[in-house]
Amino acid sequence: LPRVLSGIQPTADSFHLGNYLGALRQWVALQQDHEAFYCVVDLHAITVDWDPETLRRRTLVSAAQLLALGVDPARSTLFVQSHVPEHVQLSWVMESLARFGEASRMTQFKDKSQREGAAGTSVALFTYPVLQAADILLYQADRVPVGEDQRQHLELTRDLATRFNNRFGTSFRLPEAHIVQGTAKILDLQSPDKKMSKSLPPAGCIDLLDDPKVTGKKIRSAVTDTGREVVADPEGKPGVTNLLTIHSALSGRSVGDLEEHFAGRGYGDLKKELAEVVGDFVTPVRGRTQELLDDPAELQRTLAQGAARAREVAGRTVADVYDKVGFLPPT
Ligand code: ATP
Ligand code: MG
């Protein structure tokens, strides 16, 4: 079977619709015909400011949400990144291959470091894409389901893998980004020039664990565009187009179909109906997540089993790499 790997950061109390439509929905689909490795990437989460107790809680809530969304531990290896020390072990070698210049070109670093300010930007935020490369290469992943914002990091991963293979002999399979058309960049409801993010102000972000009342309010106050026709136009009407994209992805109706459906009606009707569509989707996810969190010991057992399986695969890659780069074996 082809392999798939992806990760998500426990940087908020809830995942949002961008995470789901851009990535997590594909995680669930791909586990059917791939050997899947999915992780909560807590090491990545400390590249920006964090609180230890909050991080621990969010890591467990993240795992519960993944299961609630349909990641099946019988099919997929689900684990927490810090439980598998091989991620850091491979990352160091990748850092030695990565060039300062290429890491400096990563646009996510530029965006996030601007937000954190020069004094608040950690060195780890800078090397984050290199750790991400290690995450992927450890498992010899063929496909990596991610949102559009990760395309550049996947290119870096392929560059580093190629560089290693050429210099030391082939150790890594070259992974491909699995980015779906249409939902790869869900926009913030308040700032439709930016992607929806866990780390932006919550008003524009539809959280999966929000009370449906809160969700409705956020959708009703979404920034829409001038004019009144409900039509998709990414350039001229990014806000309305984003709402149509979300509706279409969750209801399964095409955008063209929805344009017809809303012909002669206004933005208010679109928002009202979208609030219902989103409410119907998030309500059971919220319920299942809560049920899973009622038994944290069981959840942790699932994660421990996942980590053990992940280490078998990751350990083989690290052993091969450490040998090839010339580290003296410990025995
Ligand atoms: P943060 O702001 O902390 O970086 P995030 O919302 O960007 O959080 P990540 O954990 O970094 O979430 O990313 C998890 C996955 O969700 C990645 O595959 C990413 O590409 C995808 N993703 C994130 N935001 C969106 C979005 N707005 N639209 C589509 N996919 C997204
Ligand atoms: Mg992100």
Side-chain angles (χ1 to χ4, degrees):
L1 283 183
R3 290 245 178 100
V4 61
L5 171 126
S6 201
I8 187 158
Q9 302 189 74
T11 38
D13 286 320
S14 172
F15 299 151
H16 54 73
L17 271 182
N19 298 138
Y20 177 67
L21 296 175
L24 303 178
R25 194 153 78 152
Q26 284 65 250
W27 292 24
V28 175
L30 289 168
Q31 69 184 345
Q32 304 305 327
D33 52 3
H34 287 71
E35 192 182 346
F37 294 86
Y38 296 134
C39 51
V40 178
V41 289
D42 53 350
L43 298 175
H44 286 281
I46 67 168
T47 58
V48 292
D49 192 24
W50 82 99
D51 167 65
E53 276 318 311
T54 308
L55 176 61
R56 221 185 313 276
R57 182 185 75 239
R58 286 174 171 176
T59 300
L60 210 55
V61 177
S62 295
Q65 282 176 98
L66 292 173
L67 295 169
L69 288 167
V71 170
D72 175 2
R75 287 181 175 276
S76 300
T77 300
L78 176 66
F79 63 99
V80 174
Q81 187 187 28
S82 65
H83 294 177
V84 181
E86 285 80 2
H87 288 252
V88 175
Q89 293 177 323
L90 182 60
S91 182
W92 186 253
V93 175
M94 290 296 134
E95 283 192 34
S96 305
L97 288 181
R99 297 290 161 252
F100 186 82
E102 64 190 342
S104 306
R105 286 193 290 276
M106 296 296 120
T107 56
Q108 183 180 29
F109 173 73
K110 291 186 205 168
D111 289 352
K112 285 196 175 177
S113 59
Q114 220 163 31
R115 253 188 265 158
E116 301 282 309
T121 299
S122 67
V123 173
L125 187 66
F126 184 68
T127 57
Y128 172 125
V130 182
L131 174 60
Q132 187 177 337
D135 299 338
I136 297 166
L137 297 174
L138 271 178
Y139 300 96
Q140 308 290 345
D142 298 284
R143 284 189 192 95
V144 185
V146 285
E148 181 60 44
D149 63 304
Q150 296 300 320
R151 192 184 288 279
Q152 194 186 28
H153 291 167
L154 260 292
E155 280 309 312
L156 176 69
T157 302
R158 291 169 60 92
D159 289 347
L160 294 176
T162 305
R163 195 170 303 156
F164 184 98
N165 287 347
N166 288 342
R167 175 155 174 207
F168 300 104
T170 302
S171 284
F172 299 125
R173 226 178 278 180
L174 293 194
E176 269 174 40
H178 179 88
I179 298 175
V180 291
Q181 285 280 320
T183 54
K185 188 178 180 185
I186 300 296
L187 304 175
D188 185 271
L189 264 43
Q190 288 298 316
S191 320
D193 56 327
K194 298 192 181 76
K195 83 166 188 77
M196 197 177 273
S197 267
K198 292 193 229 93
S199 49
L200 284 180
C205 183
I206 303 187
D207 285 337
L208 303 184
L209 300 183
D210 269 348
D211 186 301
K213 278 188 215 129
V214 175
T215 310
K217 209 177 196 170
K218 286 180 181 176
I219 293 173
R220 278 195 303 281
S221 42
V223 169
T224 39
D225 314 285
T226 52
R228 46 227 296 258
E229 260 181 294
V230 178
V231 290
D233 170 7
E235 298 296 313
K237 288 174 177 259
V240 171
T241 306
N242 191 42
L243 300 182
L244 280 169
T245 300
I246 296 171
H247 189 314
S248 166
L250 292 179
S251 67
R253 302 174 65 173
S254 73
V255 170
D257 192 19
L258 292 173
E259 287 173 337
E260 252 172 64
H261 173 66
F262 288 109
R265 297 156 68 195
Y267 297 158
D269 287 329
L270 167 63
K271 288 176 170 179
K272 193 163 162 244
E273 196 175 298
L274 181 61
E276 281 168 27
V277 169
V278 172
D280 288 347
F281 172 72
V282 295
T283 302
V285 174
R286 216 172 150 227
R288 280 198 297 276
T289 303
Q290 198 46 61
E291 270 170 40
L292 288 157
L293 286 171
D294 286 342
D295 192 353
E298 171 64 20
L299 210 49
Q300 280 182 284
R301 267 195 299 279
T302 303
L303 293 171
Q305 280 165 5
R309 255 155 74 188
R311 289 202 69 182
E312 282 173 28
V313 177
R316 284 198 292 275
T317 304
V318 167
D320 172 43
V321 167
Y322 273 32
D323 178 55
K324 283 201 173 106
V325 301
F327 291 153
L328 183 69
T331 48

